[in-house]
Amino acid sequence: MNVAIIGTGYVGLTTGACLAFLGHKVSCVDADASKIAALSRGEVPFYEPHLETLLDDARRNLSFTTSYSEAIPEAQVIFIAVGTPTGNGGAPDLRYLQAAAHGVGEQLGPHLTVIVNKSTVPIGSGNWVESLVRETLQRNGSGDPKCFAVASNPEFLREGSAIHDTLYPDRVVVGADQPKTAEVLYTLYRPLLDQTFAAPTYLPRPDRVGAVPLISTDLASAELIKYAANAFLSLKISYINEIGQLAERVGADISQVARGIGLDARIGTRFLQAGVGWGGSCFGKDTAALIATAGEYKLQMPIVAAAREVNSRQRERVIEKLQTELKILKGRNIGILGLAFKPDTDDLREAPALEIAQKLKERGARVRAHDPVAMERFRRERPDLDVTLCVSAEDVARDADAVVLVTEWSQYRDLDWEALGASMRSPIVLDARYVLDRDRLARAGFRYLGLAG
Ligand code: UDX
């Protein structure tokens, strides 16, 4: 099929690369000319494992442009994957979505076109996009308004494993108010739903993956599924962090508690990793949006609000722990391992490390940090944060009063912790993700701290 993707961020680019890999003709549109030029040269503007290789493999099916008039008229399916940053009062700012809908309306071809909301958009956005496109068509006096329909097809991809999650999803959700609209998307996704495509050698199909369940719903249900999923995952993490606080008081081990409850199939072991809490572009934004939407209907969401509160408390606990240990933070050298909001990405949005660095600076500490891939982005995006970037974890530890492991990059587990400890002013490590071997660190003379238990 002919596909257009508007927006070349994580979601748009991953979706475009995967659909092109499945054999569709994909045109990616972005207003940012330098980004389009870089993509045309085969450069990916952010770090995402396997994306560059997949784009290269699918190159003959892909094109990049800044112009709607090149991509839209031919397209049978148009994915809108533009940014929806948090606006005033927690509700998403929809100006890019609005611009995309107008741009599509200007250029729509004569055949049936399905416009798909792929970005996480507030409930009711499907109908809104439809009315914006219709308005544009009417204003221009061109095109047949019956020739398009809007669908919602939320993504559930995690940064760092975006390609894997897109090619081997747990489910595909399609929301549409007319069966014909949904059918177009079934056709598009058929190879993925049946898992009939030849898997890339670098991302083999996991054994457990059979046919992928398709959830076919109305527009509003699909839109709510996305928010409800992200809010649930957020509160699962906040729940284990809340239990972690009690675990610490009663002398329990939170990792064992998480395993002990997670093996109950009704609960599940995933997203029960205690630590400094969630960050990234989705959980904070989507929980705020859910609360804002509920507010429009005079509803409160106390459970979701509590998850947010517990999450922000986890950041504060890092500072409290360090203060309890060191007594005075002013003038101390604190090392931070990991800047990205999680491993395998260079994304810094709502990254706990940034908030922790900020709080430490406010208390007069000197902060040195390292990250395997996110330092360049940090330099570009956060020059305001006075943090010294170091070439290695060893460099971070040298003369430090304490080191905080904030992002659990695998290489940090395998460091020569014995040598690191010897080079520190005081060998204190705060393992804010529970990934280090506490006994080994104790043997190496470290004072090991966790955030709980
Ligand atoms: C998330 C959702 O998982 C994805 O389905 C959605 O479409 C976009 O948002 P992402 O933000 O890329 O994906 O990362 P994810 O792996 O979900 O992690 C989010 C945050 O939660 C990270 O900061 C991570 O460190 C934290 N986390 C995750 C925990 O603290 N504990 C866990 O057990 C799992």
Side-chain angles (χ1 to χ4, degrees), residues 155-159 226 230 233 237 241 270-275 277-283 341-342 352 408 433:
E155 53 74 26
F156 300 100
L157 59 89
R158 291 161 301 168
E159 288 175 23
K226 175 63 202 253
N230 271 358
L233 292 169
I237 299 166
N241 283 332
R270 297 168 71 189
F271 279 72
L272 280 182
Q273 177 67 44
W278 33 270
S281 66
C282 290
F283 287 175
F341 83 93
K342 66 171 189 177
E408 67 278 30
R433 295 286 186 174

Side-chain angles (χ1 to χ4, degrees), residues 49-50 54 161-165 167-168 197 199-206:
H50 307 302
L54 193 79
S161 52
I163 309 296
H164 176 278
D165 294 353
L167 291 179
Y168 311 117
F197 64 91
T201 47
Y202 42 89
L203 265 181
R205 180 172 289 113

Side-chain angles (χ1 to χ4, degrees), residues 74-143:
E74 298 289 306
Q76 296 158 280
V77 181
I78 301 167
F79 285 94
I80 303 185
V82 294
T84 50
T86 303
N88 292 337
D93 175 351
L94 298 178
R95 81 180 82 160
Y96 304 113
L97 181 65
Q98 187 172 19
H102 281 308
V104 167
E106 300 275 350
Q107 301 293 338
L108 216 52
H111 49 270
L112 171 68
T113 311
V114 174
I115 302 167
V116 187
N117 274 338
K118 193 77 180 160
S119 315
T120 304
V121 289
I123 298 146
S125 296
N127 297 330
W128 185 58
V129 166
E130 183 170 349
S131 68
L132 290 172
V133 174
R134 205 175 289 287
E135 256 169 48
T136 313
L137 285 170
Q138 277 162 2
R139 201 174 51 234
N140 292 351
S142 65

